[in-house]
Amino acid sequence: DWSAIRRDGAARAVAAVEAAAARARARWAGWRRLDAALAAAGAAEVTIPVWIRDDDAVAATPELERFLALLDRWALPVALATIPQGLTASLVARVRARPGTDLLVHGLAHLNHAPAGAKKAEFGAHRPLSVMLPELADALARVRRLAGARALPVLVPPWNRIAPDLVARLPELGFSGISTFAEPKPGDTPAGLVRRNAEWDPIAWRAGGGLGDEAVLLDALAARIEARTGAECADPARMAGETGDGEAAPLGLLTHHLVHDGWIERFLGAVLARLAAAPAIRFVAARNLFPAQ
Protein backbone atom coordinates (compact mmCIF):
# COMPACT_ATOMS: atom_id res chain seq x y z
CA ASP A 1 0.00 0.00 0.00
CA TRP A 2 1.81 3.10 -1.26
CA SER A 3 -0.32 5.31 0.96
CA ALA A 4 1.35 3.76 4.03
CA ILE A 5 4.83 4.93 3.02
CA ARG A 6 6.03 7.77 5.22
CA ARG A 7 7.22 10.81 3.28
CA ASP A 8 9.15 12.47 6.11
CA GLY A 9 12.15 10.14 6.02
CA ALA A 10 14.63 12.88 5.16
CA ALA A 11 13.33 15.14 7.91
CA ARG A 12 13.51 12.36 10.46
CA ALA A 13 17.07 11.53 9.39
CA VAL A 14 18.11 15.16 9.77
CA ALA A 15 16.48 15.34 13.19
CA ALA A 16 18.29 12.17 14.30
CA VAL A 17 21.64 13.55 13.14
CA GLU A 18 21.02 16.86 14.89
CA ALA A 19 20.03 15.08 18.10
CA ALA A 20 23.18 12.94 17.99
CA ALA A 21 25.29 16.05 17.41
CA ALA A 22 23.64 17.78 20.37
CA ARG A 23 24.35 14.80 22.60
CA ALA A 24 27.98 14.79 21.49
CA ARG A 25 28.34 18.51 22.22
CA ALA A 26 26.80 18.04 25.67
CA ARG A 27 29.09 15.09 26.34
CA TRP A 28 32.22 17.04 25.43
CA ALA A 29 31.02 19.98 27.52
CA GLY A 30 30.68 17.58 30.42
CA TRP A 31 34.24 16.34 30.00
CA ARG A 32 35.51 19.95 29.83
CA ARG A 33 33.64 20.81 33.02
CA LEU A 34 35.06 17.78 34.81
CA ASP A 35 38.58 18.63 33.67
CA ALA A 36 38.12 22.23 34.81
CA ALA A 37 36.80 21.09 38.21
CA LEU A 38 39.77 18.78 38.72
CA ALA A 39 42.20 21.51 37.66
CA ALA A 40 40.60 24.03 40.01
CA ALA A 41 40.82 21.61 42.93
CA GLY A 42 44.48 21.02 42.15
CA ALA A 43 45.22 24.73 41.87
CA ALA A 44 43.55 25.30 45.24
CA GLU A 45 45.66 22.46 46.73
CA VAL A 46 42.52 20.63 47.75
CA THR A 47 42.65 16.85 48.09
CA ILE A 48 39.44 14.91 47.55
CA PRO A 49 39.38 11.34 48.87
CA VAL A 50 37.46 9.08 46.49
CA TRP A 51 36.27 5.59 47.34
CA ILE A 52 34.46 2.96 45.29
CA ARG A 53 31.54 0.90 46.60
CA ASP A 54 30.41 -2.01 44.45
CA ASP A 55 27.10 -3.61 45.45
CA ASP A 56 25.63 -7.15 45.30
CA ALA A 57 28.86 -9.17 45.31
CA VAL A 58 28.47 -12.82 46.33
CA ALA A 59 31.03 -14.85 44.35
CA ALA A 60 34.16 -14.63 42.21
CA THR A 61 32.42 -14.40 38.84
CA PRO A 62 33.66 -13.45 35.35
CA GLU A 63 31.85 -10.14 35.79
CA LEU A 64 33.76 -9.45 38.98
CA GLU A 65 37.06 -10.35 37.31
CA ARG A 66 36.39 -7.88 34.49
CA PHE A 67 35.56 -5.18 37.02
CA LEU A 68 38.66 -5.84 39.11
CA ALA A 69 40.79 -5.88 35.98
CA LEU A 70 39.47 -2.40 35.20
CA LEU A 71 40.38 -1.17 38.68
CA ASP A 72 43.78 -2.86 38.46
CA ARG A 73 44.79 -0.49 35.66
CA TRP A 74 45.28 2.13 38.35
CA ALA A 75 45.60 -0.18 41.40
CA LEU A 76 42.37 1.22 42.86
CA PRO A 77 40.90 -0.06 46.14
CA VAL A 78 37.28 -1.12 46.30
CA ALA A 79 34.69 -2.05 48.92
CA LEU A 80 32.44 -4.92 47.85
CA ALA A 81 29.02 -4.77 49.50
CA THR A 82 28.26 -8.48 49.84
CA ILE A 83 24.93 -10.16 50.47
CA PRO A 84 25.64 -12.26 53.61
CA GLN A 85 23.28 -15.16 52.84
CA GLY A 86 24.82 -15.52 49.40
CA LEU A 87 28.46 -14.93 50.32
CA THR A 88 30.72 -17.69 49.00
CA ALA A 89 34.22 -18.84 49.80
CA SER A 90 35.29 -17.93 46.27
CA LEU A 91 34.57 -14.24 46.88
CA VAL A 92 36.36 -14.28 50.22
CA ALA A 93 39.42 -15.89 48.63
CA ARG A 94 39.43 -13.32 45.84
CA VAL A 95 39.15 -10.44 48.27
CA ARG A 96 42.00 -11.76 50.39
CA ALA A 97 44.19 -12.07 47.31
CA ARG A 98 43.71 -8.45 46.26
CA PRO A 99 45.17 -5.58 48.32
CA GLY A 100 42.81 -2.73 49.12
CA THR A 101 39.67 -4.82 48.83
CA ASP A 102 37.18 -5.05 51.71
CA LEU A 103 33.73 -6.51 52.29
CA LEU A 104 30.76 -4.54 53.58
CA VAL A 105 27.45 -5.95 54.82
CA HIS A 106 24.74 -5.57 52.16
CA GLY A 107 21.65 -6.38 54.20
CA LEU A 108 21.03 -10.05 54.95
CA ALA A 109 19.40 -11.68 51.91
CA HIS A 110 18.65 -8.62 49.74
CA LEU A 111 14.93 -9.44 49.86
CA ASN A 112 12.21 -6.86 49.40
CA HIS A 113 9.85 -6.82 52.37
CA ALA A 114 8.06 -3.60 51.45
CA PRO A 115 4.29 -3.77 50.94
CA ALA A 116 2.88 -3.66 47.43
CA GLY A 117 3.23 -0.24 45.87
CA ALA A 118 5.93 0.95 48.28
CA LYS A 119 9.57 1.50 47.37
CA LYS A 120 11.70 -1.61 47.77
CA ALA A 121 13.44 -2.12 51.09
CA GLU A 122 14.72 -5.03 53.16
CA PHE A 123 15.03 -3.03 56.37
CA GLY A 124 12.35 -0.40 56.05
CA ALA A 125 10.01 1.03 58.66
CA HIS A 126 7.27 -1.44 57.71
CA ARG A 127 8.89 -4.26 59.73
CA PRO A 128 9.32 -4.42 63.51
CA LEU A 129 12.73 -3.76 65.04
CA SER A 130 12.41 -7.00 67.00
CA VAL A 131 12.70 -8.85 63.68
CA MET A 132 15.24 -6.68 61.90
CA LEU A 133 17.77 -6.34 64.71
CA PRO A 134 18.52 -10.08 64.97
CA GLU A 135 18.71 -10.32 61.18
CA LEU A 136 21.35 -7.62 60.97
CA ALA A 137 23.29 -9.11 63.86
CA ASP A 138 23.28 -12.40 61.95
CA ALA A 139 24.34 -10.64 58.74
CA LEU A 140 27.38 -9.06 60.36
CA ALA A 141 28.34 -12.30 62.10
CA ARG A 142 28.17 -14.24 58.82
CA VAL A 143 30.48 -11.87 56.95
CA ARG A 144 32.92 -11.67 59.84
CA ARG A 145 33.00 -15.42 60.24
CA LEU A 146 33.84 -16.02 56.59
CA ALA A 147 35.99 -12.99 55.76
CA GLY A 148 37.73 -12.23 59.04
CA ALA A 149 39.73 -9.00 58.97
CA ARG A 150 38.54 -8.17 55.44
CA ALA A 151 34.99 -7.73 56.78
CA LEU A 152 34.20 -4.20 57.86
CA PRO A 153 31.30 -3.55 60.28
CA VAL A 154 29.63 -1.26 57.76
CA LEU A 155 26.01 -1.69 56.69
CA VAL A 156 24.92 -0.99 53.13
CA PRO A 157 21.12 -1.40 53.25
CA PRO A 158 19.67 -2.89 50.05
CA TRP A 159 18.13 -0.28 47.78
CA ASN A 160 19.86 2.28 50.05
CA ARG A 161 16.81 2.45 52.31
CA ILE A 162 16.62 1.84 56.04
CA ALA A 163 14.28 2.78 58.88
CA PRO A 164 15.68 5.72 60.89
CA ASP A 165 14.90 3.94 64.18
CA LEU A 166 17.00 1.00 63.00
CA VAL A 167 19.96 3.24 62.13
CA ALA A 168 20.05 4.45 65.72
CA ARG A 169 20.38 0.85 66.95
CA LEU A 170 23.21 -0.22 64.62
CA PRO A 171 26.09 0.55 67.04
CA GLU A 172 24.71 -1.85 69.63
CA LEU A 173 24.87 -4.61 67.00
CA GLY A 174 28.54 -3.95 66.37
CA PHE A 175 28.27 -1.74 63.29
CA SER A 176 30.57 1.28 63.16
CA GLY A 177 29.48 2.63 59.78
CA ILE A 178 26.64 2.94 57.29
CA SER A 179 26.59 3.77 53.60
CA THR A 180 23.55 4.64 51.51
CA PHE A 181 23.20 6.87 48.44
CA ALA A 182 23.11 10.64 47.90
CA GLU A 183 24.74 13.45 49.83
CA PRO A 184 24.48 12.92 53.60
CA LYS A 185 22.15 15.27 55.46
CA PRO A 186 23.12 16.93 58.74
CA GLY A 187 21.83 15.04 61.75
CA ASP A 188 20.98 11.79 59.96
CA THR A 189 23.76 9.80 61.62
CA PRO A 190 23.61 8.90 65.33
CA ALA A 191 26.55 8.94 67.71
CA GLY A 192 28.79 5.92 67.39
CA LEU A 193 28.24 5.58 63.65
CA VAL A 194 30.15 7.00 60.67
CA ARG A 195 28.26 7.61 57.44
CA ARG A 196 30.07 7.57 54.11
CA ASN A 197 27.57 7.59 51.28
CA ALA A 198 28.04 6.89 47.60
CA GLU A 199 26.92 9.90 45.58
CA TRP A 200 27.52 9.03 41.92
CA ASP A 201 26.17 6.04 39.98
CA PRO A 202 26.58 5.61 36.18
CA ILE A 203 23.61 3.25 35.82
CA ALA A 204 20.19 4.49 34.63
CA TRP A 205 18.12 2.41 37.05
CA ARG A 206 14.85 4.24 36.45
CA ALA A 207 15.18 3.59 32.73
CA GLY A 208 15.64 -0.12 33.31
CA GLY A 209 19.44 -0.22 33.50
CA GLY A 210 22.29 0.50 31.16
CA LEU A 211 24.47 3.58 31.02
CA GLY A 212 22.88 6.86 32.02
CA ASP A 213 23.16 10.08 30.04
CA GLU A 214 26.90 10.73 29.91
CA ALA A 215 26.60 14.51 29.89
CA VAL A 216 24.36 14.44 32.96
CA LEU A 217 26.71 12.03 34.74
CA LEU A 218 29.77 14.15 33.99
CA ASP A 219 28.04 17.33 35.13
CA ALA A 220 26.97 15.62 38.35
CA LEU A 221 30.49 14.41 39.09
CA ALA A 222 32.01 17.79 38.28
CA ALA A 223 29.45 19.51 40.51
CA ARG A 224 30.44 17.34 43.47
CA ILE A 225 34.10 18.12 42.95
CA GLU A 226 33.35 21.83 42.60
CA ALA A 227 31.30 21.79 45.80
CA ARG A 228 34.10 20.14 47.73
CA THR A 229 36.68 22.54 46.38
CA GLY A 230 34.53 25.52 47.27
CA ALA A 231 33.74 24.24 50.75
CA GLU A 232 37.37 23.50 51.51
CA CYS A 233 38.59 26.85 50.20
CA ALA A 234 35.91 28.61 52.28
CA ASP A 235 36.99 26.87 55.50
CA PRO A 236 37.96 29.74 57.84
CA ALA A 237 40.52 27.58 59.68
CA ARG A 238 42.28 26.69 56.45
CA MET A 239 42.15 30.26 55.15
CA ALA A 240 43.72 31.41 58.41
CA GLY A 241 46.50 28.86 58.07
CA GLU A 242 45.38 26.82 61.06
CA THR A 243 45.03 23.68 58.96
CA GLY A 244 47.14 22.70 56.03
CA ASP A 245 45.97 19.38 54.73
CA GLY A 246 43.22 20.73 52.47
CA GLU A 247 41.34 17.43 52.73
CA ALA A 248 37.75 17.61 51.48
CA ALA A 249 34.85 15.32 52.36
CA PRO A 250 35.14 11.86 50.78
CA LEU A 251 33.31 11.24 47.51
CA GLY A 252 31.81 7.79 46.95
CA LEU A 253 31.36 6.18 43.53
CA LEU A 254 28.75 3.41 43.26
CA THR A 255 29.06 0.48 40.86
CA HIS A 256 27.27 -2.84 40.28
CA HIS A 257 29.67 -5.14 38.45
CA LEU A 258 27.07 -7.85 37.82
CA VAL A 259 25.06 -5.61 35.48
CA HIS A 260 27.84 -3.68 33.77
CA ASP A 261 27.77 -3.84 29.99
CA GLY A 262 30.38 -2.65 27.51
CA TRP A 263 29.03 0.89 27.45
CA ILE A 264 29.19 1.22 31.23
CA GLU A 265 32.67 -0.30 31.36
CA ARG A 266 33.95 2.06 28.65
CA PHE A 267 32.55 5.16 30.31
CA LEU A 268 33.53 4.12 33.82
CA GLY A 269 37.06 3.41 32.63
CA ALA A 270 37.32 6.86 31.06
CA VAL A 271 36.09 8.53 34.26
CA LEU A 272 38.45 6.55 36.49
CA ALA A 273 41.37 7.36 34.19
CA ARG A 274 40.58 11.08 34.51
CA LEU A 275 40.30 10.88 38.29
CA ALA A 276 43.39 8.72 38.76
CA ALA A 277 45.49 11.19 36.76
CA ALA A 278 44.31 14.22 38.74
CA PRO A 279 46.64 15.43 41.55
CA ALA A 280 43.59 16.56 43.54
CA ILE A 281 42.13 13.04 43.75
CA ARG A 282 43.27 10.44 46.27
CA PHE A 283 41.63 7.03 46.01
CA VAL A 284 41.20 5.48 49.45
CA ALA A 285 40.18 2.10 50.80
CA ALA A 286 36.97 1.85 52.79
CA ARG A 287 38.87 0.73 55.90
CA ASN A 288 40.53 4.15 55.95
CA LEU A 289 37.16 5.91 56.03
CA PHE A 290 35.32 3.85 58.63
CA PRO A 291 36.52 3.18 62.18
CA ALA A 292 37.39 -0.42 63.04
CA GLN A 293 35.35 -2.08 65.78
Side-chain angles (χ1 to χ4, degrees):
D1 184 358
W2 290 99
S3 65
I5 296 177
R6 297 187 62 171
R7 297 175 177 83
D8 60 346
R12 287 187 292 119
V14 170
V17 170
E18 290 178 343
R23 289 194 299 271
R25 288 193 297 271
R27 187 164 56 246
W28 283 112
W31 283 116
R32 288 195 297 271
R33 181 179 176 184
L34 177 59
D35 287 340
L38 292 170
E45 298 184 346
V46 171
T47 299
I48 302 174
V50 174
W51 71 294
I52 301 171
R53 192 189 97 202
D54 184 83
D55 287 3
D56 303 338
V58 292
T61 61
E63 294 86 353
L64 178 63
E65 289 305 320
R66 279 203 311 275
F67 177 62
L68 294 180
L70 177 66
L71 301 185
D72 285 344
R73 296 180 192 175
W74 306 278
L76 302 182
V78 64
L80 301 177
T82 185
I83 302 170
Q85 282 193 350
L87 178 59
T88 64
S90 69
L91 180 62
V92 173
R94 189 64 183 89
V95 166
R96 286 176 174 164
R98 186 179 188 275
T101 307
D102 297 302
L103 290 179
L104 311 182
V105 182
H106 197 25
L108 175 61
H110 207 297
L111 293 177
N112 176 30
H113 295 293
K119 292 182 178 179
K120 292 181 179 180
E122 184 173 26
F123 292 98
H126 46 273
R127 290 209 294 160
L129 289 177
S130 59
V131 173
M132 295 189 290
L133 288 170
E135 288 185 353
L136 283 179
D138 178 38
L140 178 57
R142 284 171 180 261
V143 181
R144 278 179 160 167
R145 184 170 61 251
L146 288 173
R150 288 302 182 101
L152 302 184
V154 176
L155 176 64
V156 179
W159 296 285
N160 295 295
R161 299 187 184 102
I162 185 170
D165 289 347
L166 183 55
V167 175
R169 302 287 297 273
L170 292 179
E172 70 187 62
L173 300 178
F175 287 98
S176 63
I178 184 171
S179 180
T180 56
F181 189 78
E183 185 177 355
K185 298 178 181 178
D188 66 353
T189 308
L193 207 61
V194 170
R195 181 184 288 272
R196 302 295 190 193
N197 283 358
E199 299 179 39
W200 185 85
D201 182 350
I203 299 177
W205 294 106
R206 293 182 180 178
L211 179 63
D213 185 300
E214 294 183 38
V216 173
L217 290 168
L218 292 168
D219 277 342
L221 184 57
R224 281 159 175 77
I225 293 170
E226 292 162 356
R228 283 163 170 77
T229 302
E232 187 60 29
C233 289
D235 184 349
R238 182 168 185 257
M239 297 299 288
E242 297 173 15
T243 61
D245 56 5
E247 186 99 333
L251 171 60
L253 310 182
L254 179 58
T255 58
H256 288 75
H257 70 271
L258 288 173
V259 297
H260 287 182
D261 57 21
W263 293 100
I264 294 172
E265 291 176 353
R266 172 195 58 78
F267 178 70
L268 185 59
V271 168
L272 293 177
R274 255 345 188 273
L275 297 178
I281 300 299
R282 179 174 68 91
F283 280 93
V284 295
R287 65 177 52 248
N288 294 327
L289 297 176
F290 294 97
Q293 185 170 325

